[in-house]
Amino acid sequence: LRLFYRYRDLAPQLVPLDYTKEPDVKLPYELIGSMPELKDNPFRQRIAEVFSEDGEGNMSLDDFLDMFSVLSEMAPRDLKAYYAFKIYDFNNDDFLCKSDLEKTLSKLTRGELSEDEVKMVCEKVMDEADMDNDGRLSLEDFQHMIVRAPDFLSTFHIRI
Amino acid sequence: AKNGIIVLKRPLGTSSDSNSDSDEEEDSMSEGEMARLMEEVEEKKKLIATIRNKPWRMKRRLVLLREAQQFVDKFEGALGKGKGRKWYAYKVMMTKKWIKFQRDFENFRTACIPWERKIKEVESHFGSSVASYFIFLRWMYGMNLVLFGLTFGLVVMPEVLMGLPYGSIPRKTVPRAEQDTAQDYSVLMDFNGYCKYSVLFYGYYNNQRTIGLLKFRLPLAYLMVGLGTFGYSLMLVIRTMAKNADVGGGDGDEGEFTFAWKMFTSWDYLIGNAETADNKYASITTSFKESIVDEQENQKDENIHLRRFLRVLANFLITCSLGGSGYLIYFVVKRSQEFANRDDLSWYEKNELELIMSLLGLVCPPLFETIAELEDYHPRIALKWQLGRIFALFLGNLYTFLFALFDEVNTKLEEEGSIKNASIWAMKEYYANFSLPVNDSDATPPPMDPGDVILGPCWETAVGIEFVKLTVSDIQVTYLTILIGDFARAVIVRFLNYCWCWDLEAGFPSYGEFDISGNVLGLVFNQGMIWMGAFYAPGLVGINVLRLLSSMYYQCWAVMATNVPHERVFKASKSNNFYMGLLLLVLFLSLLPVVYTIMSLPPSFDCGPFSGKEKMFDVIMETIDLDLPAFMGTLFSYAANPGLIIPAVLLMVLAIYYLNSTSEAYQNANMELKKKMQMVSKRICGVPSDEDFNQEEPKKQHRQHQPGDEGPGGPAAQSLPGPARPAGAWLVSSRASCRCGTPETGTDQPPALSLWSEQRNPRSLKENRPRPEAEPPGRVLTCRKT
């Protein structure tokens, strides 16, 4: 219920209080991206795109709930891993290829690393995680790698 | 999010109660149909239970949920047979109501957790590691609250309500000699005077077997609560440790996925503040650069002898300082014993002991850190050493303090003997003097004014006083350090910056960072002291509760107002259990002195609930003899027989050994499986040796099975065969979606013979292999002979 009020607070004039008639209301990405929990997150655009139905970042209440339930602390590890994979997959091809990794890295460091360093890091990541040696990370590779990470659960988590 | 889902279920879900008007239909159902229906219902129920875990869209989930619920409702009531039907329907309804009640209760419980907002604020500014300290503080507060409730409710309240009031018996009254100064502030601050003879301390409690109308057995309750405190704390700590170990997941090799983890898990999604985000970006960049440098450079120990010598030197210095601090404390305690005999003490001399201990706790850790620079370890290892040393320091201090205290107790015990005689003598004299003026020998003389009775030195109360003073001074020192170390520093830096030569904010001294490990250790040791002192001073737990409460608000404010986020990424995720383990250790160590005193030292003869007995646990014996039915007494006497206890202990030791060895066996099996998975995944589809061939087969099917196979199984199922690689025949015959080969490749290709050992470094393996590009689908791969 708290979530519903947060959702409504973003755009009170658009969202009705009564949801039993299942109105079809979507909040545009700009509003979502300006939420205090998300506005500093470098991946907020991707998060919104992954959870929204149209892939543009416009979210209905259902999508909103989906997003926060996955990012809450009660979501199981595998579920989070699945969604994390989708978030980091910039070109939506169900694989994390080199360009996806490069984009992730640049968003993380805000362009502070040099070309060579970026290339090196991406290569190393590919080396470490790519199990089937096809040059890109599939969901299994990603999951296999991320469920071992000790702080995945604690960082991939938004409290609301 | 959980709230949201639940709320949505209510208006949109149609959970009607099971309808019993479909009775007519069931009669026609046969047994087989019934069984099948039951299965389906079970399946739907399982779906409802696990629907949260599936990575589907919300809408799909809701639709399925509604379907499943309708189905279950329709047919569940129908499953009960014949006469049992109504009972079955009733049972089902009660189960549903129970589930709903549980859910509501969970909601209520989560809403009740205090300080959630505050912690979230700290988290978004400082990241999850600093917030973990506050979460730990909150957990401690909860535990102390329960302990306080126990002590207060079962020991303090009965004594206050139903026991004899102040001034009625000697142990409860301030002796006449001290009565003039009893109300002085300085005396009260020392916990003498009125404080000493109050419910706060052990000496106040009367040793009557039962008090009040309800015949409440106070001495028994006192002992039980004292032991129960430890038992409850033990249970709670172990339960939390088990929970933490569960969440922590498996411990993969540390160096296995460094870069991948750095990339995908270093951003803390909790951060909601621009300044912290900036810091986080900077720290991520720095950490990447560091790892790159680490990778590139070949670390060779230039001078291993020098390094070893420096390490030995550092350890030697640190042992010296540890020994020095231990001796200092011993010396100060001895001095305080001498002081106790004098009267004209300055404030410093009175509180010297506590001051010294707190100061040592303040000064030594930075000293250790500076000495540790000599050692030049990897930062994580250095942190562990540092924590270990601080732990040793505190432990040493505490135990020296205890030993000195025990010396004091022994002297008091000796003193007691002589005072006992003296007081009996004084009593006799008083009666003798009294009866003189009265000629009537039948009149009984009034009892002596309680203020005049000579009281023995109540050693338990003295010990309690020491602990309380220690705790209070610890609190004061902590608060002062925060005030001066953080707040004053921040104020100075902020305001002097305008008129100072160099940039105070960027260089020295700048704002302070929040010292997580120091604070956590302080908390842990404070708790240890509470555990030790709670038996002798029931009021101590109450003081601690107040302290934790105020500490929470104070430190939250201090952190937000005066600290800056850490510069380095602090990976503290595995340390949660480390601190719990520390707490457990401290619990055991503080249990020892208390149990020792209960078992072996005789209680004071005239104060406290056990006065007059030989040993404190005689109370239990008494209760068993007098209150419980006769057969229980004989039962206990049999149980206490050494002949029974020794076999029981042996049995437990054997059980521990057995469990240990099974867990080792499981771990080994785990390692084997892991190795196999790695071998399978990192190996090129080439030629294995014979033993690999036998081992691989059963593992292959196992490997590809991933969770979430319904929805996201899509991508995996359509996965394409990748690069051109030699395809082993045995590999092809297993699952079709194996990336190494296509189904077309026949089984008649003879595998090329190149044997690789298991220990081959995967990295060099990859370097030898040409880096392939993604192949278009459907290409027939040929086996390449190496």
Side-chain angles (χ1 to χ4, degrees):
Chain A
L1 202 54
R2 244 185 323 163
L3 274 178
F4 176 62
Y5 284 128
R6 293 298 305 273
Y7 184 72
R8 190 152 183 279
D9 282 339
L10 290 178
Q13 66 280 15
L14 285 179
V15 178
L17 269 175
D18 183 10
Y19 247 74
T20 46
K21 298 186 205 41
E22 300 187 32
D24 186 22
V25 174
K26 282 194 199 293
L27 290 186
Y29 165 67
E30 292 76 28
L31 287 175
I32 307 273
S34 63
M35 283 181 68
E37 285 87 358
L38 285 181
K39 71 172 164 41
D40 289 308
N41 199 321
F43 299 112
R44 58 186 177 278
Q45 174 115 16
R46 280 300 302 162
I47 295 178
E49 282 170 18
V50 161
F51 284 102
S52 67
E53 278 198 59
D54 53 6
E56 291 294 312
N58 306 318
M59 302 177 64
S60 67
L61 179 61
D62 280 349
D63 303 330
F64 191 77
L65 282 172
D66 232 357
M67 173 167 81
F68 277 105
S69 81
V70 167
L71 288 167
S72 82
E73 31 181 23
M74 314 225 219
R77 195 183 271 258
D78 296 326
L79 191 62
K80 287 198 188 213
Y82 172 68
Y83 276 105
F85 183 76
K86 293 189 70 166
I87 289 176
Y88 293 127
D89 187 12
F90 281 80
N91 46 11
N92 281 326
D93 60 353
D94 287 332
F95 283 102
L96 293 178
C97 57
K98 269 274 182 58
S99 66
D100 289 332
L101 294 180
E102 280 171 13
K103 285 210 200 90
T104 311
L105 191 58
S106 66
K107 277 219 171 344
L108 269 178
T109 58
R110 280 211 293 217
E112 290 276 332
L113 293 180
S114 74
E115 270 295 320
D116 288 332
E117 289 171 338
V118 169
K119 237 191 292 190
M120 218 200 97
V121 172
C122 292
E123 259 183 46
K124 291 227 47 86
V125 174
M126 204 50 92
D127 267 349
E128 285 170 359
D130 194 5
M131 293 294 152
D132 49 6
N133 301 316
D134 57 355
R136 48 200 183 158
L137 301 179
S138 70
L139 179 62
E140 275 94 11
D141 296 335
F142 185 77
Q143 267 181 338
H144 178 241
M145 179 263 295
I146 211 87
V147 295
R148 304 284 163 74
D151 42 2
F152 174 60
L153 276 180
S154 56
T155 51
F156 197 69
H157 156 43
I158 293 185
R159 196 191 292 258
I160 186 169
Chain B
K2 201 173 164 188
N3 300 343
I5 292 182
I6 292 166
V7 164
L8 264 193
K9 266 197 199 162
R10 257 189 247 134
L12 297 181
T14 57
S15 45
S16 54
D17 282 352
S18 50
N19 42 358
S20 48
D21 48 71
S22 51
D23 290 1
E24 308 82 47
E25 302 173 58
E26 297 103 53
D27 294 325
S28 51
M29 274 202 245
S30 67
E31 275 294 328
E33 280 188 32
M34 200 76 107
R36 194 179 39 86
L37 203 56
M38 200 166 326
E39 240 180 73
E40 272 191 49
V41 170
E42 282 305 318
E43 216 181 280
K44 292 281 182 203
K45 273 204 213 158
K46 214 167 63 165
L47 181 68
I48 295 180
T50 58
I51 203 159
R52 197 168 282 151
N53 294 357
K54 307 255 190 254
W56 297 328
R57 288 236 158 267
M58 198 66 164
K59 238 181 213 152
R60 183 173 166 198
R61 263 192 260 182
L62 279 176
V63 162
L64 275 174
L65 181 70
R66 227 180 302 166
E67 262 180 43
Q69 274 178 338
Q70 274 175 343
F71 186 83
V72 168
D73 286 337
K74 193 161 133 203
F75 287 107
E76 198 160 19
L79 280 178
K81 283 197 263 193
K83 293 186 220 112
R85 201 172 309 137
K86 289 261 179 347
W87 166 249
Y88 189 78
Y90 173 73
K91 208 167 61 162
V92 159
M93 190 184 72
M94 288 312 289
T95 332
K96 274 202 243 199
K97 285 220 191 306
W98 173 246
I99 292 180
K100 180 165 173 316
F101 170 72
Q102 269 181 332
R103 231 192 295 159
D104 284 338
F105 185 64
E106 272 301 318
N107 278 355
F108 172 69
R109 244 181 45 171
T110 4
C112 260
I113 298 181
W115 299 318
E116 193 70 16
R117 290 271 132 206
K118 250 195 198 353
I119 294 191
K120 179 185 167 187
E121 227 184 295
V122 172
E123 219 163 9
S124 70
H125 272 83
F126 290 91
S128 46
S129 50
V130 171
S132 72
Y133 166 73
F134 285 101
I135 294 180
F136 187 56
L137 182 60
R138 186 172 66 183
W139 180 84
M140 279 266 190
Y141 176 69
M143 179 172 80
N144 273 294
L145 209 55
V146 171
L147 291 180
F148 173 66
L150 265 180
T151 330
F152 197 67
L154 291 178
V155 172
V156 177
M157 278 278 98
E159 181 69 27
V160 164
L161 292 176
M162 300 190 280
L164 301 170
Y166 171 82
S168 50
I169 50 174
R171 69 185 63 179
K172 299 200 183 199
T173 343
V174 180
R176 192 165 300 264
E178 296 176 19
Q179 261 175 8
D180 305 328
T181 56
Q183 265 187 342
D184 286 353
Y185 185 70
S186 60
V187 171
L188 279 182
M189 274 299 108
D190 254 358
F191 295 101
N192 273 325
Y194 278 122
C195 263
K196 186 166 168 188
Y197 299 96
S198 72
V199 237
L200 282 181
F201 293 108
Y202 176 96
Y204 185 79
Y205 295 89
N206 200 4
N207 70 335
Q208 258 180 315
R209 250 195 96 237
T210 65
I211 48 178
L213 292 169
L214 299 171
K215 298 248 183 292
F216 188 77
R217 292 179 177 67
L218 189 68
L220 185 66
Y222 196 94
L223 191 64
M224 288 286 117
V225 162
L227 294 177
T229 311
F230 288 108
Y232 174 75
S233 315
L234 188 64
M235 201 184 66
L236 197 61
V237 171
I238 292 201
R239 211 170 65 166
T240 317
M241 275 183 88
K243 232 194 306 182
N244 277 346
D246 210 16
V247 165
D251 45 354
D253 319 331
E254 286 234 339
E256 199 179 343
F257 289 121
T258 5
F259 275 93
W261 285 347
K262 263 208 196 4
M263 179 173 282
F264 293 117
T265 62
S266 54
W267 180 261
D268 200 350
Y269 279 57
L270 281 165
I271 295 181
N273 177 28
E275 194 187 325
T276 322
D278 285 341
N279 266 344
K280 193 72 183 188
Y281 285 125
S283 74
I284 291 179
T285 316
T286 325
S287 123
F288 268 116
K289 287 202 173 144
E290 277 175 10
S291 311
I292 292 175
V293 163
D294 254 355
E295 269 300 310
Q296 284 171 344
E297 147 186 323
N298 239 342
Q299 291 248 10
K300 196 72 177 111
D301 280 337
E302 300 95 31
N303 200 346
I304 206 167
H305 295 293
L306 181 65
R307 188 175 285 203
R308 274 208 203 119
F309 170 70
L310 282 177
R311 283 188 188 163
V312 165
L313 179 67
N315 275 325
F316 175 69
L317 282 174
I318 290 188
T319 336
C320 277
S321 51
L322 278 176
S325 77
Y327 179 68
L328 184 63
I329 293 190
Y330 187 72
F331 175 68
V332 169
V333 169
K334 282 285 175 233
R335 252 173 47 132
S336 76
Q337 280 173 354
E338 293 164 32
F339 287 156
N341 300 333
R342 291 174 21 202
D343 268 335
D344 51 340
L345 301 172
S346 65
W347 173 84
Y348 169 74
E349 276 161 349
K350 272 194 268 201
N351 293 334
E352 191 180 24
L353 177 64
E354 289 75 30
L355 271 178
I356 296 281
M357 280 189 73
S358 316
L359 277 179
L360 272 177
L362 263 178
V363 161
C364 284
L367 184 68
F368 291 159
E369 252 181 69
T370 353
I371 297 184
E373 306 251 332
L374 278 178
E375 290 185 336
D376 196 23
Y377 277 124
H378 187 276
R380 205 176 301 143
I381 305 184
L383 182 67
K384 283 207 183 124
W385 275 95
Q386 174 74 355
L387 285 174
R389 285 182 186 135
I390 299 183
F391 186 69
L393 172 75
F394 277 132
L395 212 60
N397 289 353
L398 210 56
Y399 264 72
T400 328
F401 173 71
L402 272 179
F403 281 129
L405 215 58
F406 266 124
D407 269 348
E408 205 178 311
V409 166
N410 281 330
T411 31
K412 281 225 160 80
L413 277 177
E414 288 162 11
E415 216 183 300
E416 213 180 73
S418 60
I419 293 215
K420 207 184 214 173
N421 291 335
S423 72
I424 297 181
W425 179 250
M427 183 84 89
K428 291 217 166 85
E429 274 214 19
Y430 173 78
Y431 285 138
N433 286 340
F434 182 79
S435 53
L436 275 179
V438 178
N439 292 326
D440 189 359
S441 50
D442 289 342
T444 48
M448 208 157 109
D449 179 36
D452 288 328
V453 173
I454 305 179
L455 276 186
C458 203
W459 63 266
E460 294 100 343
T461 309
V463 169
I465 292 182
E466 285 300 313
F467 273 112
V468 172
K469 283 206 295 198
L470 197 59
T471 312
V472 167
S473 81
D474 193 44
I475 298 175
Q476 287 169 336
V477 169
T478 321
Y479 284 12
L480 274 176
T481 6
I482 294 183
L483 204 57
I484 298 182
D486 280 340
F487 184 62
R489 180 170 159 184
V491 162
I492 291 178
V493 168
R494 169 66 71 89
F495 290 117
L496 275 190
N497 207 13
Y498 295 126
C499 50
W500 204 259
C501 344
W502 70 85
D503 190 353
L504 281 175
E505 280 183 7
F508 177 84
S510 85
Y511 297 107
E513 288 181 352
F514 187 73
D515 178 19
I516 303 178
S517 32
N519 271 308
V520 172
L521 278 182
L523 207 58
V524 164
F525 277 104
N526 174 55
Q527 189 60 35
M529 287 197 288
I530 301 293
W531 275 324
M532 271 200 265
F535 188 71
Y536 302 109
L540 191 57
V541 189
I543 295 180
N544 200 36
V545 165
L546 286 176
R547 170 232 161 96
L548 284 176
L549 190 62
S550 59
S551 183
M552 183 72 177
Y553 289 110
Y554 185 57
Q555 279 189 309
C556 265
W557 166 79
V559 147
M560 298 294 290
T562 67
N563 281 345
V564 290
H566 284 252
E567 279 190 25
R568 299 192 50 125
V569 176
F570 193 100
K571 207 176 248 184
S573 45
K574 278 200 195 150
S575 351
N576 250 344
N577 246 2
F578 174 68
Y579 291 131
M580 282 295 162
L582 219 54
L583 197 62
L584 196 62
L585 191 60
V586 167
L587 175 59
F588 275 125
L589 291 173
S590 52
L591 183 62
L592 287 178
V594 177
V595 169
Y596 174 72
T597 46
I598 293 183
M599 290 299 166
S600 54
L601 287 183
S604 300
F605 74 96
D606 65 347
C607 69
F610 307 116
S611 57
K613 305 215 187 346
E614 287 281 327
K615 293 267 171 11
M616 290 190 193
F617 63 85
D618 280 347
V619 176
I620 305 186
M621 299 299 173
E622 219 185 303
T623 321
I624 297 180
D625 285 336
L626 298 178
D627 290 332
L628 299 176
F631 73 92
M632 298 215 53
T634 35
L635 200 66
F636 273 119
S637 64
Y638 284 146
N641 191 356
L644 202 62
I645 292 195
I646 294 188
V649 168
L650 272 178
L651 189 67
M652 280 195 281
V653 168
L654 282 176
I656 292 178
Y657 176 70
Y658 169 73
L659 286 174
N660 219 11
S661 49
T662 34
S663 94
E664 255 182 50
Y666 284 143
Q667 271 181 357
N668 281 339
N670 231 0
M671 286 308 299
E672 285 293 312
L673 287 176
K674 251 195 241 181
K675 262 196 263 180
K676 281 189 189 158
M677 275 181 63
Q678 280 184 1
M679 208 168 62
V680 161
S681 61
K682 290 196 171 161
R683 174 185 300 257
I684 298 178
C685 311
V687 191
S689 52
D690 275 333
E691 81 259 326
D692 294 344
F693 179 83
N694 290 335
Q695 283 172 357
E696 293 302 350
E697 282 286 357
K699 283 292 143 268
K700 284 301 298 170
Q701 287 82 354
H702 189 279
R703 185 215 158 208
Q704 298 295 350
H705 179 67
Q706 296 285 350
D709 39 10
E710 292 186 329
Q718 330 150 347
S719 73
L720 316 164
R725 246 187 270 121
W730 51 273
L731 215 48
V732 161
S733 60
S734 55
R735 256 183 74 138
S737 72
C738 169
R739 308 232 162 63
C740 290
T742 59
E744 283 91 64
T745 332
T747 54
D748 49 345
Q749 309 239 6
L753 292 176
S754 71
L755 300 165
W756 285 303
S757 68
E758 278 194 36
Q759 317 302 19
R760 182 166 184 132
N761 188 0
R763 207 160 282 161
S764 60
L765 203 65
K766 284 180 181 155
E767 279 160 19
N768 293 338
R769 192 174 29 91
R771 204 111 183 86
E773 266 113 43
E775 300 280 312
R779 178 155 163 171
V780 174
L781 304 172
T782 56
C783 196
R784 230 187 288 151
K785 288 216 170 78
T786 41

